[in-house]
Amino acid sequence: MATVKRSSLRKPSQVRGNATESSWRDHPVVVASIAVAATLTLMGGVIFPLLTAHLSSENSELRKVADAKGEEIGGLKKQLDGLELKLVAEKAAFQKLEHEKTKIAEEFRLATIENPFILPSGYPKGLDTIRIGSTPAEVEAAFPEAQIDKNVEGFWSVKVTHPIFSSATYYFGSDNRAITHILFHTNYQGPVKDKDILPLVKRHFGRPKISIDENYLWITAGAQKEEISVEDGQLFIIYGKDMLPNWLVRALTRCGRPGYAPEGDLKALCERFTKQKTQAKKER
């Protein structure tokens, strides 16, 4: 008896059904979508968290570096500010020392200058032949004619040979008979300048009797009670005891005016001047 073999053929429906299911799964679009989905799943579940953690770690490290740099910069700025303050202080101290050095050097220079005045009268050494009260004839006898300038009425200017003074101007009274005051001019090429006159006079004659602004007056113990006046801080003038400097006369004319309150020796001089004016008015 012949053996009956089972057919290996499938039903058409089965064949079509399997073929259909296989075909849509193998479609390129479906394959690509599945690949993308798998990739997104991998990215979202594994890679993104890893990247996020890595970036967070890097950010933390960068913040630490930035903070450290900030602290370093702040520290350096503080050091710089401190050095600048120290520099300003040291510069001020240096300038103070320079000022003191200059002052001491100037005092030393003046101290090395020999006293140019005859004490107690105040006449410059070598120029004391002609004094307050001397006559024009005595001036002509004391100096060569070529050194005497007589061009202006009321005073003569005489060139002199002296280490400090280059000339002297002798002023005569209204009658042109006697000298009332003498102005000595500083020699610009000599060791003593105009600005040195005041400190030199103070050094050898002490504190002035009267001072107003840049004008100073000393009353000497000379035989004629000569008055030494340093005017404008530099002009050296000798007056007779009966004559006052113009700057002092201007001050005395203010005596007795409301609001004018002189002090010290000027106050006493004002009182005497006011009494003299009052007496003069009574005698008229």
Side-chain angles (χ1 to χ4, degrees):
M1 186 172 178
T3 304
V4 178
K5 295 183 179 180
R6 212 181 263 187
S7 175
S8 61
L9 294 176
R10 298 177 181 178
K11 293 180 180 180
S13 59
Q14 287 179 326
V15 174
R16 286 196 301 270
N18 292 336
T20 301
E21 182 178 354
S22 176
S23 63
W24 74 264
R25 289 178 182 276
D26 296 333
H27 195 280
V29 175
V30 175
V31 172
S33 298
I34 293 172
V36 170
T39 301
L40 291 175
T41 301
L42 180 63
M43 293 285 288
V46 179
I47 297 177
F48 280 166
L50 289 174
L51 287 174
T52 301
H54 179 69
L55 291 174
S56 178
S57 177
E58 283 191 350
N59 287 337
S60 178
E61 291 298 323
L62 288 174
R63 279 196 298 271
K64 290 180 180 179
V65 172
D67 291 343
K69 284 292 183 183
E71 291 179 1
E72 181 184 5
I73 292 173
L76 291 174
K77 178 65 167 56
K78 187 176 181 180
Q79 290 181 33
L80 181 61
D81 292 341
L83 288 173
E84 287 181 350
L85 290 174
K86 186 177 180 181
L87 179 62
V88 170
E90 290 183 352
K91 184 177 181 180
F94 176 77
Q95 290 176 341
K96 183 179 179 180
L97 289 174
E98 279 289 315
H99 177 73
E100 291 179 359
K101 175 187 173 183
T102 302
K103 181 181 178 181
I104 293 173
E106 183 66 9
E107 291 177 354
F108 174 78
R109 184 182 67 84
L110 291 173
T112 58
I113 297 175
E114 183 182 354
N115 178 14
F117 309 111
I118 296 175
L119 301 178
S121 65
Y123 291 100
K125 292 179 180 178
L127 298 176
D128 59 318
T129 302
I130 303 301
R131 295 173 172 245
I132 300 299
S134 295
T135 64
E138 290 175 308
V139 175
E140 290 176 321
F143 300 100
E145 185 177 355
Q147 294 179 214
I148 305 174
D149 182 356
K150 305 177 183 178
N151 291 329
V152 181
E153 185 178 357
F155 63 85
W156 290 355
S157 292
V158 179
K159 293 181 181 180
V160 299
T161 302
H162 193 271
I164 293 179
F165 301 104
S166 60
S167 63
T169 300
Y170 298 99
Y171 296 86
F172 303 104
S174 56
D175 56 2
N176 271 346
R177 291 184 179 179
I179 294 173
T180 57
H181 54 297
I182 308 169
L183 166 62
F184 295 95
H185 303 270
T186 307
N187 182 356
Y188 293 104
Q189 297 180 347
V192 176
K193 309 303 178 186
D194 287 343
K195 65 182 181 65
D196 299 328
I197 295 299
L198 179 59
L200 278 175
V201 175
K202 285 182 176 180
R203 175 181 289 275
H204 298 292
F205 292 93
R207 180 177 174 271
K209 187 76 171 175
I210 298 172
S211 62
I212 300 175
D213 298 329
E214 289 296 309
N215 302 304
Y216 307 84
L217 184 71
W218 289 262
I219 298 176
T220 72
Q224 295 179 302
K225 300 295 182 183
E226 292 90 349
E227 298 170 354
I228 296 175
S229 176
V230 176
E231 302 180 13
D232 295 328
Q234 58 186 20
L235 299 177
F236 182 75
I237 306 174
I238 294 181
Y239 291 90
K241 64 179 181 179
D242 296 326
M243 188 172 187
L244 294 176
N246 287 334
W247 60 268
L248 184 54
V249 172
R250 289 193 297 269
L252 292 175
T253 56
R254 296 160 59 192
C255 294
R257 294 182 184 178
Y260 184 62
E263 299 178 353
D265 294 313
L266 182 58
K267 180 180 180 181
L269 197 59
C270 256
E271 292 173 352
R272 190 176 74 183
F273 183 75
T274 302
K275 288 181 180 179
Q276 288 177 350
K277 285 200 304 182
T278 302
Q279 185 64 30
K281 287 181 180 180
K282 290 180 179 180
E283 293 176 355
R284 287 177 185 175

